[in-house]
Amino acid sequence: MNCASCQKKDCYNGKDCLDIKEEVKKLYKEHEIDVLKKSTAIESRYYMEKTRIEEIIIFSKMMKYKKIGLAFCVGLEEEANILHSIFKKHFKVYSVCCKVCGINKKDFQLEKIDNERRESMCNPIGQATVLNEKDTDLNIIIGLCIGHDILFTEHSQAPVTTLAVKDRVLAHNPLGAIYSKYYLNKF
């Protein structure tokens, strides 16, 4: 399977290249169909009109979510603060930064950026634990590091969506690397 290299994308017009359509359709139960209906409605009604932030608000309201969790990187605290103020107009919002608990990197023999000073590790399991205790309906990742986002998602009891991806070089726009001839040539 290599859809990324397929030039036809006949699936767009209904072709089932793998002959698994009926088998896969059975995997969609009531909850999954409900999520699909609401997300498809947003796509259909607001195509090219709403930002991702607006889509999250609309989707969350359609899903009747009441409590939203923000798991953010301390390097994006300003953005997290702004997002908190936006989302709190619609929901109860809980936010937790990546350094929660202040666990020393030395406790797990983690590599440090600067060996001359104490460094607290990023704590994605701690972030998930805090939001799990608040019984959030949806958790939003804001710039967690690669790997930390995976651990957070694995340990979150609520569904997770990503609003911002960490990319310190490209202003948190990782696709910028393939839109830039300079970076694309580096690969």
Side-chain angles (χ1 to χ4, degrees), residues 107-173:
D107 292 353
F108 292 108
Q109 294 80 48
L110 301 175
E111 197 170 313
K112 293 170 55 176
I113 296 168
D114 181 354
N115 288 321
E116 301 302 313
R117 65 180 184 92
R118 184 201 185 282
E119 290 182 19
S120 291
M121 69 174 220
C122 294
N123 185 5
I125 294 175
Q127 289 176 291
T129 300
V130 168
L131 296 177
N132 290 343
E133 288 174 1
K134 297 300 180 185
D135 198 29
T136 52
D137 299 307
L138 174 69
N139 290 328
I140 302 168
I141 291 176
I142 304 167
L144 298 186
C145 295
I146 182 64
H148 301 159
D149 55 352
I150 294 167
L151 286 173
F152 176 81
T153 302
E154 285 178 353
H155 290 268
S156 174
Q157 293 172 357
V160 177
T161 191
T162 300
L163 182 57
V165 177
K166 170 72 64 58
D167 190 323
R168 293 174 185 93
V169 174
L170 296 172
H172 311 300
N173 175 22

Side-chain angles (χ1 to χ4, degrees), residues 46-97:
Y46 305 109
Y47 191 77
M48 300 290 291
E49 292 178 18
K50 300 292 183 187
T51 66
R52 179 64 176 227
I53 295 168
E54 292 170 307
E55 288 180 344
I56 290 171
I57 292 168
I58 295 166
F59 178 80
S60 296
K61 286 181 176 184
M62 291 173 90
M63 293 297 294
K64 298 184 177 17
Y65 293 159
K66 303 288 184 224
K67 294 186 275 184
I68 303 295
L70 305 178
F72 69 95
C73 168
V74 72
L76 279 87
E77 67 181 312
E78 205 171 303
E79 293 85 346
N81 189 34
I82 292 167
L83 290 165
H84 188 279
S85 67
I86 291 169
F87 287 121
K88 80 175 185 181
K89 294 175 183 174
H90 307 276
F91 312 99
K92 178 71 178 160
V93 181
Y94 300 95
S95 60
V96 58
C97 85

Side-chain angles (χ1 to χ4, degrees), residues 23-33 36:
E23 186 180 323
V24 170
K25 283 169 56 176
K26 292 175 187 171
L27 300 174
Y28 288 89
K29 307 295 184 213
E30 186 177 339
H31 168 73
E32 289 81 7
I33 292 169
L36 278 174

